[in-house]
C-alpha cells in the first residue's frame, strides 16, 4: 500500500468510533455490528480480514500484497451515503494532514483479541457521543450539519425506545 493510502486509512481507523454516528444511523444498526458476524465490531484493520471493520483487498491475479482498495464494513444500509462518505473523507484527510501511522494489521478474528482492541460503540447513544470530542469531524462536517445529524440520531433513539417493534418497519421504510 502506498504511504498516502496508509495515512488515509490510518485517519479513518483513528476516527472510526465517530464515523459510526454517520454510517450507522439507527439503534438497529448496532444489532448488526457484533463480533463474529463479518460486520467489524472492533477498532482495527486487516488484510483480507472479513471480521475487521476496515480491511484491505487485493484483486485476483494481482501480485501478492498489492492493495488496490480498502473497505469499511461498518456502513449500514440505512445510512445516508453522502454523509457517511463525508465523514470517511474528513477522517482520511486528517490522517494525511497529520501523517498518522497505520497500526499493524489484525489478520485473525478480532474477537479473540477482545482485551487488546477497542470495541466500537455498541449503541447509537454511544456513537453520537464519540464525535462530541472529535474536533476534526466537527470542523470538516460543519457545526450546523453536525448539530442536525446529532438531533436526528437522538430523535431515532427516542422513537425506537418508545416503539419497541419499530425495527420491523425498517424493511418497508428503507
Amino acid at each position: 500500500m502506498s504511504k498516502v493510502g496508509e495515512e488515509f486509512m490510518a485517519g479513518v481507523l483513528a476516527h472510526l468510533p465517530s464515523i459510526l454516528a454517520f454510517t450507522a444511523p439507527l439503534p438497529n444498526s448496532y444489532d448488526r455490528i457484533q463480533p463474529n458476524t463479518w460486520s467489524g465490531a472492533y477498532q482495527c484493520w486487516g488484510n483480507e480480514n472479513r471480521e475487521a471493520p476496515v480491511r484491505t483487498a487485493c484483486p485476483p491475479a494481482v501480485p501478492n500484497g498489492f492493495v488496490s482498495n480498502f473497505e469499511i464494513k461498518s456502513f449500514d444500509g440505512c445510512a445516508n451515503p453522502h454523509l457517511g462518505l463525508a465523514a470517511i473523507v474528513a477522517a482520511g484527510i486528517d490522517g494525511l494532514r497529520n501523517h498518522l501511522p497505520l497500526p499493524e494489521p489484525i489478520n485473525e478474528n478480532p474477537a479473540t483479541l477482545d482485551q487488546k482492541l477497542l470495541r466500537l460503540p455498541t449503541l447509537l447513544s454511544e456513537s453520537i457521543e464519540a464525535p462530541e470530542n472529535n474536533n476534526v469531524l466537527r470542523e470538516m462536517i460543519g457545526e450546523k450539519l453536525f448539530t442536525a445529524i446529532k438531533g436526528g440520531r437522538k430523535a431515532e433513539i427516542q422513537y425506537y425506545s418508545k416503539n419497541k417493534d419499530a425495527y420491523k418497519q425498517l424493511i418497508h421504510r428503507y
Side-chain angles (χ1 to χ4, degrees):
M1 184 180 341
S2 70
K3 185 73 172 161
V4 170
E6 285 183 11
E7 290 176 357
F8 187 92
M9 199 164 84
V12 171
L13 188 60
H15 295 286
L16 193 55
S18 296
I19 291 171
L20 285 182
F22 299 87
T23 62
L26 301 175
N28 198 46
S29 303
Y30 297 84
D31 291 341
R32 186 183 71 79
I33 303 174
Q34 298 293 324
N36 302 310
T37 61
W38 290 8
S39 62
Y42 295 91
Q43 190 172 2
C44 65
W45 76 280
N47 296 306
E48 301 285 349
N49 184 349
R50 288 186 169 94
E51 282 293 332
V54 178
R55 79 175 187 138
T56 58
C58 302
V62 172
N64 190 19
F66 178 78
V67 174
S68 64
N69 62 294
F70 74 92
E71 66 182 27
I72 298 174
K73 310 282 295 231
S74 305
F75 204 122
D76 193 87
C78 293
N80 178 315
H82 307 287
L83 294 176
L85 188 56
I88 291 165
V89 169
I93 289 171
D94 181 58
L96 293 170
R97 284 182 178 165
N98 293 301
H99 305 287
L100 295 180
L102 187 62
E104 289 297 313
I106 303 297
N107 291 324
E108 59 191 282
N109 184 345
T112 63
L113 304 170
D114 188 22
Q115 304 301 321
K116 297 178 184 176
L117 296 174
L118 179 67
R119 178 73 162 87
L120 291 172
T122 59
L123 300 169
L124 180 56
S125 57
E126 293 174 11
S127 182
I128 62 173
E129 294 303 318
E132 283 295 323
N133 300 318
N134 190 326
N135 291 333
V136 170
L137 289 185
R138 288 178 73 125
E139 289 174 12
M140 287 196 192
I141 299 295
E143 193 63 36
K144 288 181 181 179
L145 181 56
F146 178 78
T147 300
I149 291 167
K150 184 175 177 180
R153 301 302 182 255
K154 285 185 175 183
E156 292 286 358
I157 292 168
Q158 185 178 20
Y159 176 77
Y160 281 84
S161 68
K162 290 180 180 177
N163 301 289
K164 297 298 180 189
D165 288 337
Y167 70 93
K168 293 177 183 177
Q169 298 169 1
L170 285 175
I171 197 163
H172 300 292
R173 191 182 339 167
Y174 296 100

